[in-house]
Amino acid sequence: MVSLWIHDHLNTLTNIFTAQKCDALGHFLPDDAPPPPHLPKAPDDWSLYCNQLEFELADFLFTHAEMPIKKIDALLEIWAASMLELGGEPLFSNHTDLYHIIDSTCIGDVKWENFTVCYKSGDQENDVAPWMSNTYDVWYRDPRQVVHNILASPQFTNEMDYIPYREYDTTNDRRHWQDFMSGDWAWEEAVLAYLLL
């Protein structure tokens, strides 16, 4: 029973450290299996926006006009008043509604996130630089998801090594350094991970 478990465990480790192809559920695929198809968005997919008009208005107000909040609210109020006569709904109720949709927009399938930072010090009474009393918004995308999307791109098929390797010139036994996976760090991490399992 124990030897069967060890055998299965070693087979799994061998598959992991040989970078054998697998599907999204971890089932191993033949070496010549093509990558999964990359499905582009449909031309009428405006998510998170309700339609093309809503997207274009947000793009215009935020990117092209760079309109201040008070002017956005004034414009949206006028638009809402004109829609009342027609029995329609405005595209956005106010700048908060507009910014919420913009901030939730995924670019490359990775959503923008943010947090606020400020300087904290016990000595706030002496000559304080203006930046020390301000708060700052930091916007970012999850780096793990960004890298996942890069690796999933069909443009990288057959262009990337997934297994650490060491390559030597047979004429003089000198090591070749080519890319990240040919380096010592990748090699040592793979060996360490294997030893820890």
Side-chain angles (χ1 to χ4, degrees):
M1 185 71 143
V2 172
S3 63
L4 180 61
W5 179 84
I6 291 172
H7 180 267
D8 290 344
H9 194 62
L10 286 175
N11 279 343
T12 302
L13 288 176
T14 301
N15 290 334
I16 290 170
F17 291 111
T18 57
Q20 187 175 347
K21 290 182 181 180
C22 64
D23 62 17
L25 300 174
H27 302 116
F28 293 108
L29 301 170
D31 288 339
D32 60 348
H38 183 70
L39 303 174
K41 280 183 150 183
D44 61 345
D45 181 3
W46 295 100
S47 58
L48 300 163
Y49 301 88
C50 294
N51 52 41
Q52 183 176 355
L53 183 60
E54 192 174 275
F55 171 80
E56 288 180 358
L57 176 63
D59 183 49
F60 174 76
L61 292 176
F62 190 76
T63 307
H64 301 289
E66 297 181 11
M67 194 175 283
I69 289 173
K70 287 183 180 181
K71 290 184 179 182
I72 290 174
D73 284 341
L75 175 66
L76 293 175
E77 282 179 26
I78 294 167
W79 196 334
S82 72
M83 295 299 290
L84 283 175
E85 292 179 13
L86 303 171
E89 293 284 324
L91 296 176
F92 301 101
S93 55
N94 55 33
H95 77 274
T96 305
D97 186 24
L98 170 70
Y99 284 0
H100 175 72
I101 296 292
I102 291 172
D103 292 344
S104 300
T105 302
C106 291
I107 299 175
D109 297 327
V110 182
K111 180 181 163 187
W112 281 102
E113 300 180 59
N114 74 318
F115 61 89
T116 303
V117 294
C118 63
Y119 179 78
K120 296 286 184 193
S121 172
D123 187 20
Q124 292 285 341
E125 295 180 17
N126 294 334
D127 293 328
V128 176
W131 67 265
M132 292 179 168
S133 57
N134 291 339
T135 58
Y136 302 92
D137 288 332
V138 178
W139 287 88
Y140 67 98
R141 294 188 205 158
D142 181 352
R144 184 175 181 273
Q145 281 298 319
V146 170
V147 170
H148 183 271
N149 284 0
I150 291 170
L151 294 175
S153 170
Q155 295 173 336
F156 290 108
T157 304
N158 300 324
E159 298 295 326
M160 189 174 291
D161 292 309
Y162 294 97
I163 306 168
Y165 67 93
R166 289 183 173 170
E167 185 175 57
Y168 295 87
D169 187 331
T170 56
T171 61
N172 59 14
D173 204 30
R174 292 186 69 177
R175 187 165 171 194
H176 288 185
W177 305 90
Q178 182 173 342
D179 55 32
F180 179 76
M181 291 308 241
S182 71
D184 285 335
W185 184 85
W187 182 271
E188 290 165 4
E189 287 298 305
V191 170
L192 178 63
Y194 179 76
L195 294 174
L196 291 175
L197 291 173

